[in-house]
Amino acid sequence: MKVVVLKERRPFEKRVAATPDSVKRLVALGCEIFVEKDAGGGAQIPDEAYREMGATIVDDVRSALGTADIVLKVQRPMTAAEGRDEVAGMKAGALLIGMLAPGSDRAQVDSYAAARITAFSLEFLPRITRAQSMDVLSSQSNLAGYKAVLDATAEFGRAFPMMMTAAGTIAPAKVMVLGAGVAGLQAIATAKRLGAVVSATDVRMAAKEQVESLGGKFVMVDSDEMKNAETSGGYAKEMSDDFKRRQEELVRETLKKQDIAICTALIPGRQAPRLISAETVRGMKPGSVIIDLAVEQGGNCELSKPGEVVDVNGVKVVGHMNVPSRLATDASQLYARNIVNFLALVIDKASKTVKVNWDDEIVTATALTRDGAVVHPSLKPKAA
């Protein structure tokens, strides 16, 4: 089996789909690994580290792509319109595995089918116990929640913990986390470790116990809707307009007393919910900081801008892009492990060949294309 690891070329992307550790494990499975030159550069992984584990470094990856059985990516491949067509060189029947963001370019998904490539998008991994070791969204969101707090400390002009000195006492920072999923819970834990007073809000009642177990105070809208606000996959549901209005009022009044807000709320396949209005931002204290991890999906804050730090009457609204990539070494390490665990479902250990188990629910949940057709339910045309 020939596995090719491509260098990521999209803006703000420093991660890589394989590490020396994952290469070692894949070689043991019978894979022949080809890594594009400097693919690990953004994650501080030199080419020599891959060579030591048995990989071959290639300058011209196009020739390797033509014979690859499996192609590993972090983000979706580049297109001809973006200056480099990474799909055109792949052979029919090859497996393409990564976070392919099918909703951002449906035409590209059709191009996978036209090229008879079998594409797997790992964002669609089901929330089941057996898939936890492959869950790329959780592994990357965990780091994003941690980094969000560090970014807040960098922008905040004060200390986080309470300090008692001979010159007087410094009050602890007050942090509110909006969205208590994987990123939000890690943000709560990190802010608590730094000595902040932390509160959090979420539409899911199940989040209350998790927030409180980490030492945070759970702030909630008193509504019967919260009893049924979670999907079977563990994600938050879209709430009613009345609930959104009441939640916005609660957030507005709470943030007047906070120093930092960390926004992590996302709904898969939809625009990020708007939780902080422009009016709310203008009502916060000068020196406050908002970190919007949802900025690439439209933002939880009305005034956040992708890739920018916006100053609104002394309140900093931070919209860093691709936050997991800001910790590229660790993010790559976790992502590569997720990939190796997923590959166990498409590689036959006995024959050391590609053998996709199409009876596995994880495989069928993540498959975008197969045998020249788009097969994912969310992408297939709806019946008339």
Side-chain angles (χ1 to χ4, degrees):
M1 287 173 296
K2 190 172 182 179
V3 178
V4 171
V5 180
L6 293 179
K7 180 179 179 179
E8 302 297 320
R9 290 180 167 82
R10 294 194 176 278
F12 307 104
E13 186 55 79
K14 297 180 180 180
R15 293 171 293 179
V16 61
T19 61
D21 177 67
S22 72
V23 165
K24 180 180 179 180
R25 294 173 65 182
L26 292 176
V27 168
L29 287 175
C31 298
E32 189 179 3
I33 313 296
F34 293 81
V35 179
E36 186 173 1
K37 184 178 179 181
D38 197 35
Q44 291 81 51
I45 304 174
D47 291 340
E48 187 57 35
Y50 288 112
R51 286 196 188 95
E52 290 174 358
M53 294 301 172
T56 299
I57 305 299
V58 291
D59 289 320
D60 182 11
V61 77
R62 290 182 177 87
S63 58
L65 273 178
T67 56
D69 299 300
I70 300 173
V71 178
L72 303 182
K73 288 277 296 171
V74 176
Q75 294 199 43
R76 62 186 176 88
M78 302 289 284
T79 66
E82 293 168 322
R84 184 185 181 93
D85 192 339
E86 293 178 331
V87 173
M90 294 175 61
K91 72 176 185 180
L95 308 188
L96 171 63
I97 301 171
M99 293 187 290
L100 304 182
S104 63
D105 191 342
R106 172 53 200 269
Q108 188 171 33
V109 178
D110 292 333
S111 75
Y112 304 152
R116 301 191 71 81
I117 294 168
T118 302
F120 294 96
S121 194
L122 300 183
E123 303 99 313
F124 289 135
L125 277 160
R127 286 289 182 91
I128 59 176
T129 302
R130 196 164 56 84
Q132 287 181 350
S133 65
M134 315 166 198
D135 192 344
V136 295
L137 293 182
S138 291
S139 71
Q140 303 304 293
S141 293
N142 206 358
L143 288 171
Y146 166 78
K147 182 60 173 170
V149 176
L150 299 190
D151 287 339
T153 64
E155 299 292 345
F156 191 48
R158 292 169 41 203
F160 259 47
M162 180 176 72
M163 294 184 180
M164 301 180 70
T165 73
T169 300
I170 297 173
K174 295 180 180 179
V175 176
M176 184 179 189
V177 178
L178 292 86
V182 174
L185 292 174
Q186 182 57 250
I188 293 168
T190 303
K192 286 293 294 182
R193 286 197 293 268
L194 291 176
V197 175
V198 184
S199 59
T201 186
D202 197 287
V203 300
R204 299 165 300 128
M205 275 302 298
K208 182 177 186 295
E209 184 177 350
Q210 295 170 316
V211 169
E212 292 176 346
S213 71
L214 293 171
K217 177 184 177 182
F218 192 66
V219 180
M220 59 181 279
V221 175
D222 186 11
S223 170
D224 288 339
E225 278 191 68
M226 292 187 67
K227 297 177 182 177
N228 189 34
E230 189 171 359
T231 68
S232 58
Y235 294 102
K237 287 183 177 179
E238 183 80 17
M239 306 300 280
S240 69
D241 290 339
D242 178 65
F243 184 94
K244 292 177 183 177
R245 177 187 58 77
R246 294 173 62 190
Q247 184 182 46
E248 183 177 331
E249 291 174 356
L250 175 67
V251 169
R252 182 185 303 120
E253 292 305 310
T254 305
L255 287 183
K256 288 179 180 179
K257 307 170 186 176
Q258 303 294 309
D259 300 303
I260 292 166
I262 296 178
C263 306
T264 72
L266 289 170
I267 300 175
R270 296 193 182 187
Q271 191 89 343
R274 184 59 50 80
L275 302 178
I276 301 179
S277 66
E279 180 186 351
T280 299
V281 176
R282 296 186 179 101
M284 294 176 69
K285 298 180 294 185
S288 300
V289 176
I290 298 172
I291 306 292
D292 194 346
L293 291 182
V295 69
E296 292 171 85
Q297 282 74 47
N300 292 150
C301 177
E302 184 178 355
L303 299 181
S304 62
K305 294 183 179 180
E308 296 185 27
V309 178
V310 181
D311 191 298
V312 183
N313 299 332
V315 178
K316 292 183 180 180
V317 184
V318 182
H320 290 314
M321 300 286 282
N322 197 348
V323 174
S325 187
R326 292 165 60 80
L327 294 170
T329 302
D330 289 332
S332 297
Q333 188 75 21
L334 295 180
Y335 182 77
R337 290 174 186 169
N338 292 149
I339 289 280
V340 170
N341 293 329
F342 180 81
L343 286 176
L345 305 178
V346 299
I347 292 177
D348 182 65
K349 294 181 180 179
S351 63
K352 295 186 177 181
T353 59
V354 173
K355 188 177 181 181
V356 181
N357 180 7
W358 289 108
D359 293 325
D360 192 296
E361 63 178 313
I362 296 175
V363 170
T364 55
T366 54
L368 299 182
T369 56
R370 177 188 181 188
D371 298 331
V374 177
V375 297
H376 198 277
S378 70
L379 301 172
K380 290 195 293 186
K382 294 181 179 179

